[in-house]
Amino acid sequence: KRDWSSDVCSSDLGAEPVDASGEWQEIWKALSESQHAKKLRVHVLYCQDEIRQALDALADPRISCEPLVSEQTFRQAVDSLLPNIVHFFCHGSSEAAQPRIELARPSDYDAELKEGSIRLTSADLAGLGRSHSVWLVTLNCCQGARSEGRVRSIAADIASNGVPAVVAMRESVDFQKAHVFAGRLYAN
């Protein structure tokens, strides 16, 4: 039997810090009602203490978490946990010559910074395909699937590096709609 595992990075700032609790609530509701719920393991990399408090309150042995303090934290979680699903709730941008996602550290969130200090490009995320455990990456962020001229989107680059499925948005997306989307995605 397959051990369904997931790595969730909840780290959105955008124009201002966004409470990721709604994202987590939608995801957890969908996952806990899944036919695979008993086989689940979820590891959350968080930037806001409210997420940690919500996870601690669940007291569920299938859930673990740690603060997202560096790019290395993310890499170590993927390398050691070998997740099947990696879900990002973060800021995305295709404005530069190199599209990126921006993840917030707890200190970024607490300081109410407008940009996350951990910036990941397609090259930084290429390792997800090489891990051979990841079969779905969700970029629940703005512009993760947007190409600009000859520059490919982050989603296209992740898929071309071996991840079988990538879900991403081409346009900017309202964070509340992103929460609902996440819940419906994992409910199916």
Side-chain angles (χ1 to χ4, degrees), residues 164-182:
V166 181
V167 176
M169 315 316 181
R170 240 186 247 155
E171 302 298 326
S172 296
V173 62
D174 175 79
F175 73 91
Q176 292 171 328
K177 291 178 182 170
H179 297 336
V180 172
F181 170 78

Side-chain angles (χ1 to χ4, degrees), residues 24-176:
W24 166 250
Q25 290 167 358
E26 290 287 339
I27 291 171
W28 184 243
K29 181 178 184 289
L31 294 178
S32 63
E33 293 173 358
S34 161
Q35 65 181 354
H36 303 289
K38 292 181 180 176
K39 298 182 259 182
L40 257 213
R41 285 182 303 122
V42 178
H43 186 73
V44 179
L45 301 175
Y46 64 88
C47 75
Q48 76 185 89
D49 201 47
E50 292 84 358
I51 297 293
R52 184 198 50 80
Q53 292 169 0
L55 299 173
D56 289 348
L58 288 172
D60 191 313
R62 298 171 295 172
I63 303 171
S64 58
C65 67
E66 65 184 297
L68 179 62
V69 295
S70 68
E71 182 179 337
Q72 190 62 27
T73 306
F74 167 71
R75 291 189 189 291
Q76 287 174 343
V78 170
D79 291 346
S80 64
L81 299 171
L82 301 172
N84 300 127
I85 300 169
V86 178
H87 179 98
F88 292 96
F89 176 60
C90 59
H91 178 64
S93 175
S94 65
E95 296 171 10
Q98 184 69 39
R100 68 184 183 280
I101 60 172
E102 295 174 3
L103 304 175
R105 299 168 202 230
S107 58
D108 298 339
Y109 188 85
D110 293 343
E112 298 183 9
L113 297 180
K114 291 185 178 185
E115 294 182 353
S117 61
I118 302 171
R119 292 176 179 90
L120 302 177
T121 65
S122 295
D124 298 322
L125 297 170
L128 293 174
R130 290 191 297 271
S131 77
H132 302 295
S133 68
V134 178
W135 50 263
L136 172 64
V137 172
T138 303
L139 298 172
N140 204 7
C141 64
C142 297
Q143 304 174 10
R146 179 182 281 176
S147 298
E148 293 287 337
R150 295 184 146 185
V151 178
R152 291 170 26 138
S153 70
I154 290 178
D157 284 343
I158 292 170
S160 70
N161 277 299
V163 174
V166 181
V167 176
M169 315 316 181
R170 240 186 247 155
E171 302 298 326
S172 296
V173 62
D174 175 79
F175 73 91
Q176 292 171 328

